[in-house]
Amino acid sequence: MTQRIEDYALIGDLQTAALVGADGSVDWLCLPRFDSAACFAALVGDEENGHWRIAPKGADRCTGRRYVGDSLVLETVWETRTGTVRVLDFMPQRDEAPDVVRIVEGVSGSVEMAGTLRLRFDYGSVVPWMRRSDGHRVAVAGPDSVWLRSEPEVKTWGQQFSTCSSFTVAAGESVSFVLTWHPSHQSRPDLVDPHESLRHCLEDWEAWASKCGYEGPYRDAVMRSLITLKALTYAPTGGIVAAPTTSLPEELGGVRNWDYRFCWLRDSTLTLGSLVAVGYLDEAAQWRDWLLRAVAGDPADLQIMYGLAGERRLPEFELSWLGGYGGSVPVRVGNDAANQLQLDVYGEVIDSLFIARQAGLKTERHAWNIQLSLLGFLETAWREPDEGLWEVRGPRRHFVHSKVMAWVAADRAVRTLEADRSLHGEVDRWREMRDAVHREVCEKGFDPERNTFTQSYGSKELDAATLLIPHVGFLPPDDPRVLGTIAAVQAELGNGPLVRRYSTEGVSVDGLPGDEGTFLACSFWLTDALCMTGRHEEARELFERLLSLRNDLGLLSEEYDPVAGRQLGNFPQAFSHIGLVNTALALQEYDTAG
């Protein structure tokens, strides 16, 4: 791919999403859900694997682009020798079927446009049968059917298993395209009016954005991150996907390529906290309810991630016909990490429900019973090794972060029982567990010679997740062990102002070859830790440095390569945007207190 990851924009309808390049090409789209097979997969292959480009004839990249206000409507502007044109790309919140709407508007002069629609179902492997019907181009293959129409109708023709078009737009004129998916065994869905859909789409987004309670100095960045989190929400269930893509690499040309189109429990606490803090209680309640449905069952079977509706089976396999982004193979679908043991998720779930209760979200009695069941399992299981937060594919270890989150689980249970005497539960039992975990972590997970917590018991490796120790309340921010850990992480995992998750040099703990970039969420955690320990100006400088890594539309991927100066990993990444929001809130809290 010639497009960098940051060259892409996100559009979506709260059930799926598309990535639109700065060259006017939709290179990724899964229909009808985030986790469905892609019908445009050029992002992780090439143009033959499916894409949809609309641009001035002979043009390469756009002149400029932006989101219209606080919305997910993308405006791309092209200035050419003969005139200026803009394209509005969006996906209306669906009533029945998913639609992609592209409205081409003449701004000045006259511009000759060219379009290429190359549909390839099942991740670029299936060429559909194309036909004309009632002014539409119709593509059908197996269970999938896509209808394309234009208003007014433009000339189209078939060429190399693609639908091509050519038309001219003068100042004041517009041409609209609507692409609609539906199951091939059903009749065509009702037509949508592209201009009416645009008006409703803008109104809906502006109304939603107006509820944001954050009015600090980083309002634009926070709002864009919140809009991105909303766009990554699967509206029917309230689940939030980690990213809408699969296999965007953590190292260009490497094998660290994973499917992130699922819902991770690790994201739950930080997501709930940020949504509650800025006033989006409905979204917080929907995420909390998704969480309760997903984790219901035998606590020994708790997974680290689930499907959009709480599905448990996420089998991992490779798509051998795709060449990968920048030659990064394999391209994977599904995620075998769902089968790992990660003890920290028990703490994440219980902490999330604690935050929800503190926020005043209505709770059901069974929610507390679920927490007691999880605690009952964790009471003995916390002493076992696991794969840890970062889903290592090497041997299990006693990861310090996992143990700290076990402490969080017990601590939140104690605090809940102390605050609400009507709840049943053995508070002394959970106090005893909390104290036992704390003692063991401080004894076995701390290196007194280097004055730092380590990645796992007895290891010399460091882990950026230990930066969360003061955030979760395991130790106070001014504790010498916290200060030493911050200094050690900066020295050993830092790359300038950015932070790696852990070292990948030598025999890596994750059992994988190759390297990866700096991890943006961890860099936000460092900013938070600096702020908590009184280094406020240093924290602000780091935060503003992180803001500068966003693309021109305010979007962040999972990682950043400081050498090549480009984003890496799946995009846009919920974890990164959650970190941005929470750090902005932390800085605002300091400013208010000051």
Side-chain angles (χ1 to χ4, degrees), residues 1-8 43 61 247-253 324-328 495 498 516-520 545-546 548-552 555-571 576:
M1 292 299 300
T2 58
Q3 301 280 308
R4 300 173 303 167
I5 290 173
E6 54 265 44
D7 287 334
Y8 285 97
L43 179 71
R61 291 173 59 91
S247 301
L248 290 182
E250 297 171 8
E251 178 186 29
L252 285 176
Y325 178 91
S328 306
N495 189 319
L498 306 177
E516 66 175 28
T518 57
F519 203 79
L520 292 173
R545 166 66 175 138
L546 289 170
S548 73
L549 303 183
R550 298 173 301 153
N551 74 356
D552 55 318
L555 301 179
L556 287 169
S557 64
E558 181 183 29
E559 300 184 0
Y560 188 82
D561 182 344
V563 177
R566 59 183 297 177
Q567 297 190 24
L568 292 173
N570 284 304
F571 172 90
S576 299

Side-chain angles (χ1 to χ4, degrees), residues 257-565:
N257 318 316
W258 315 108
D259 193 348
Y260 274 19
R261 297 171 298 156
F262 309 112
C263 307
W264 265 258
L265 299 189
R266 72 179 186 197
D267 301 355
S268 60
T269 300
L270 297 174
T271 304
L272 257 174
S274 61
L275 291 173
V276 165
V278 295
Y280 285 108
L281 298 185
D282 288 344
E283 284 74 13
Q286 291 165 4
W287 176 235
R288 186 273 315 272
D289 292 345
W290 176 90
L291 190 65
L292 286 171
R293 293 192 300 270
V295 305
D298 186 343
D301 295 332
L302 187 68
Q303 296 185 182
I304 68 165
M305 71 179 83
Y306 295 86
L308 303 177
E311 299 92 344
R312 289 173 173 262
R313 296 187 184 277
L314 311 174
E316 182 179 306
F317 56 95
E318 298 176 4
L319 306 181
S320 59
W321 61 87
L322 292 173
Y325 178 91
S328 306
V329 291
V331 175
R332 295 182 173 95
V333 169
N335 202 312
D336 279 346
N339 302 316
Q340 289 186 348
L341 174 66
Q342 294 183 24
L343 295 173
D344 63 288
V345 298
Y346 292 84
E348 301 286 2
V349 171
I350 293 172
D351 197 18
S352 297
L353 299 176
F354 177 77
I355 291 171
R357 180 182 291 273
Q358 281 193 317
L361 299 183
K362 183 181 177 181
T363 59
E364 302 291 342
R365 181 64 61 172
H366 76 276
W368 177 243
N369 292 332
I370 288 175
Q371 292 174 78
L372 290 178
S373 178
L374 295 175
L375 277 164
F377 172 78
L378 191 59
E379 187 175 19
T380 56
W382 74 267
R383 299 183 183 278
E384 300 297 321
D386 70 343
E387 275 91 3
L389 171 71
W390 304 127
E391 299 163 14
V392 302
R393 301 203 173 193
R396 289 181 176 179
R397 301 188 181 195
H398 291 280
F399 287 99
V400 169
H401 176 73
S402 296
K403 310 299 185 185
V404 168
M405 293 309 297
W407 176 91
V408 168
D411 176 74
R412 302 316 188 248
V414 169
R415 292 166 64 181
T416 299
L417 288 167
E418 289 175 344
D420 188 348
R421 301 291 183 179
S422 69
L423 295 173
H424 66 283
E426 304 173 57
V427 66
D428 289 339
R429 176 181 173 186
W430 308 128
R431 285 197 189 103
E432 183 178 342
M433 173 184 164
R434 180 178 65 176
D435 294 344
V437 176
H438 201 280
R439 283 195 302 272
E440 183 174 295
V441 170
C442 291
E443 175 186 347
K444 298 182 178 180
F446 183 77
D447 183 345
E449 293 183 3
R450 296 156 66 205
N451 191 31
T452 182
F453 285 97
T454 58
Q455 184 174 56
S456 59
Y457 290 176
S459 72
K460 292 297 183 181
E461 293 87 1
L462 300 185
D463 192 326
T466 56
L467 293 170
L468 293 171
I469 284 175
H471 178 82
V472 300
F474 185 84
L475 288 173
D478 59 354
D479 189 288
R481 290 166 292 185
V482 169
L483 300 177
T485 299
I486 296 172
V489 168
Q490 284 184 295
E492 297 186 29
L493 298 181
N495 189 319
L498 306 177
V499 175
R500 301 163 65 87
R501 292 187 292 180
Y502 50 83
S503 175
T504 55
E505 297 177 0
V507 181
S508 175
V509 67
D510 61 22
L512 295 167
D515 201 357
E516 66 175 28
T518 57
F519 203 79
L520 292 173
C522 296
S523 301
F524 285 114
W525 296 348
L526 173 60
T527 309
D528 295 341
L530 293 174
C531 191
M532 292 184 73
T533 54
R535 297 158 67 177
H536 304 114
E537 291 310 311
E538 189 177 349
R540 192 178 304 279
E541 290 176 6
L542 175 54
F543 181 63
E544 292 180 355
R545 166 66 175 138
L546 289 170
L547 291 184
S548 73
L549 303 183
R550 298 173 301 153
N551 74 356
D552 55 318
L553 297 169
L555 301 179
L556 287 169
S557 64
E558 181 183 29
E559 300 184 0
Y560 188 82
D561 182 344
V563 177

